[in-house]
């Protein structure tokens, strides 16, 4: 079958179409004819050599998110059949004509969505739900600050927080403010021209917010801590701005009873990933079917142009998900 391969780590142009063996179906697997694959930042790390030459459990081929049609099922599979339209997170192998997925990670694509939209749901919304609600314990009426509110996970987090009934603040480039408001943000902060700590202080009479979801890392860390209210929670879900050393005022951490939580999905054990997907599916999948939630697709590229798709993400040009069509 055709898949994206690369002989050396490097820039997006190392990616090319090549031939690889078809996946072998294991007892708990669905074999899927891939119609669309989500592009994620982990794919960029893979291409640059950040994981070495990985086998994430399903494939050495790049890609962690698929939508497509089931063409074969393993002996231990329950609740799925050949012909089902499914979407889900895989342990590698998405950038290919066929992929296998553990059936416990698979979800039906809502009838109102096509494959591209299906490929834009699971990674960002499962991650956002885990950070906001399972770990961040966001409650209706609380105030949350979502950084990178126009990105894939950030945009999903804005939608979920709004649907939950929270007051939503988000940071985004000025050109993306209209979209972020459309997703449900009450206030959008221009991170290029405004200091979010000043805006938060002004909006909360100096108290701070209840929860912050951050993808940036070290450059924002101390300011995030200073922007939290008593008992506030910071969920660190990315380090797009750098993984260097970060400092914070320890007296604020201590006397404000703050909680700092780090999370990443890809390296979690498989049973933890099953639980994460299950929590999201039970809580929110029906909200896609009835139109309360929707994926945000930035752009699509054919599989052969995976390098161009990753280049767009690397340049920070996307607003929402980039999806490969296969």
């Amino acid at each position: 079958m055709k898949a994206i391969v690369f002989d050396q780590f490097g820039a997006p142009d190392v990616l090319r179409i090549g031939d690889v063996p078809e996946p072998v179906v294991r007892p708990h697997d669905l074999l899927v004819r891939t119609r669309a694959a989500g592009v994620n930042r982990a794919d960029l790390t893979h291409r640059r050599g950040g994981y070495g030459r990985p086998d994430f459990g399903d494939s050495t081929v790049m890609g962690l998110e698929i939508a497509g049609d089931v063409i074969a099922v393993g002996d231990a599979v329950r609740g799925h059949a050949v012909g089902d339209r499914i979407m889900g997170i895989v342990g590698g192998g998405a950038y290919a004509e066929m992929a296998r997925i553990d059936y416990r990670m698979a979800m039906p694509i809502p009838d109102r969505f096509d494959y591209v939209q299906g490929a834009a749901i699971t990674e960002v919304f499962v991650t956002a739900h885990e950070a906001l609600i399972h770990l961040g314990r966001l409650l209706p009426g609380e105030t949350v600050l979502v950084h990178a509110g126009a990105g894939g996970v950030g945009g999903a987090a804005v939608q979920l927080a709004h649907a939950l009934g929270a007051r939503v603040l988000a940071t985004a480039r000025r050109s993306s403010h209209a979209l972020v408001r459309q997703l449900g943000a009450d206030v959008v902060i221009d991170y290029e021209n405004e200091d979010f700590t000043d805006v938060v202080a002004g909006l909360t009479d100096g108290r701070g917010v209840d929860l912050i979801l951050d993808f940036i890392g070290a450059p924002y860390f101390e300011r995030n801590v200073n922007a939290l209210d008593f008992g506030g929670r910071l969920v660190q879900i990315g380090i797009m701005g750098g993984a260097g050393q970060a400092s914070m005022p320890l007296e604020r951490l201590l006397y404000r009873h703050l909680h700092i939580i780090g999370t990443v999905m890809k390296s979690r054990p498989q049973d933890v990933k099953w639980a994460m997907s299950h929590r999201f599916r039970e809580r929110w999948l029906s909200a896609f079917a009835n139109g309360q939630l929707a994926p945000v697709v930035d752009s699509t590229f054919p599989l052969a142009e995976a390098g161009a798709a990753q280049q767009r993400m690397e340049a920070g040009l996307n607003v929402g998900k980039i999806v490969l069509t296969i």
Side-chain angles (χ1 to χ4, degrees):
M1 67 174 180
K2 298 297 183 184
I4 291 295
V5 298
F6 57 103
D7 301 317
Q8 61 186 10
F9 301 126
D13 60 7
V14 302
L15 302 181
R16 61 180 178 82
I17 285 281
D19 293 301
V20 301
E22 295 180 5
V24 175
V25 179
R26 301 163 300 191
H28 292 90
D29 283 338
L30 305 175
L31 183 63
V32 177
R33 176 76 64 185
T34 308
R35 304 298 186 183
V39 177
N40 295 291
R41 289 200 169 271
D43 305 340
L44 277 58
T45 303
H46 185 169
R47 189 201 73 229
R48 296 173 190 143
Y51 307 129
R53 287 288 180 182
D55 181 341
F56 292 125
D58 287 339
S59 176
T60 57
V61 173
M62 180 181 295
L64 301 174
E65 184 175 24
I66 63 168
D69 306 303
V70 177
I71 56 176
V73 299
D75 295 339
V77 169
R78 301 291 181 268
H80 294 275
V82 171
D84 288 353
R85 293 194 328 141
I86 66 97
M87 59 188 185
I89 298 168
V90 297
Y95 286 27
E97 292 178 322
M98 285 181 276
R100 62 186 181 186
I101 181 172
D102 187 304
Y103 81 94
R104 291 158 290 196
M105 297 293 289
M107 306 177 200
I109 300 173
D111 291 339
R112 61 193 298 265
F113 293 142
D114 60 22
Y115 295 109
V116 168
Q117 292 167 309
I121 291 175
T122 51
E123 192 274 340
V124 293
F125 279 95
V126 170
T127 302
H129 170 82
E130 193 71 9
L132 276 177
I133 298 170
H134 183 66
L135 297 175
R137 308 185 308 281
L138 183 65
L139 296 173
E142 289 191 318
T143 300
V144 58
L145 170 63
V146 178
H147 288 300
V153 179
V158 168
Q159 287 195 62
L160 294 182
H162 174 74
L164 184 68
R167 184 190 190 195
V168 186
L169 316 182
T171 60
R173 185 179 287 117
R174 172 69 65 181
S175 60
S176 302
H177 282 203
L179 172 63
V180 179
R181 288 193 186 92
Q182 182 181 338
L183 295 178
D186 298 288
V187 177
V188 188
I189 302 166
D190 179 4
Y191 69 85
E192 292 178 317
N193 297 298
E194 296 179 285
D195 186 327
F196 68 84
T197 54
D198 293 339
V199 177
V200 166
L203 292 170
T204 64
D205 295 325
R207 295 188 307 275
V209 298
D210 301 292
L211 174 65
I212 296 176
L213 182 59
D214 182 50
F215 308 85
I216 307 304
Y220 278 15
F221 188 74
E222 184 172 2
R223 284 188 286 162
N224 282 333
V225 170
N226 287 331
L228 286 171
D229 197 358
F230 286 92
R233 293 89 67 195
L234 167 63
V235 179
Q236 194 70 47
I237 199 169
I239 47 175
M240 291 166 52
Q245 296 295 314
S247 62
M248 66 174 172
L250 286 175
E251 69 279 2
R252 193 172 183 91
L253 174 69
L254 182 67
Y255 295 120
R256 285 196 166 229
H257 310 286
L258 304 182
H259 304 256
I260 300 174
I261 305 161
T263 183
V264 63
M265 185 176 186
K266 185 182 63 59
S267 59
R268 304 295 289 275
Q270 192 63 33
D271 60 338
V272 175
K273 294 179 182 179
W274 296 334
M276 292 169 69
S277 291
H278 178 76
R279 284 191 287 267
F280 164 78
R281 177 174 178 167
E282 291 301 303
R283 179 74 180 269
W284 295 112
L285 194 58
S286 62
F288 288 91
N290 66 25
Q292 184 183 16
L293 298 175
V296 178
V297 177
D298 170 82
S299 53
T300 62
F301 292 79
L303 180 64
E305 296 179 18
Q310 290 196 6
Q311 189 171 34
R312 179 171 177 81
M313 176 174 281
E314 214 157 34
L317 300 177
N318 60 300
V319 178
K321 287 287 290 191
I322 300 172
V323 178
L324 301 176
T325 56
I326 304 168

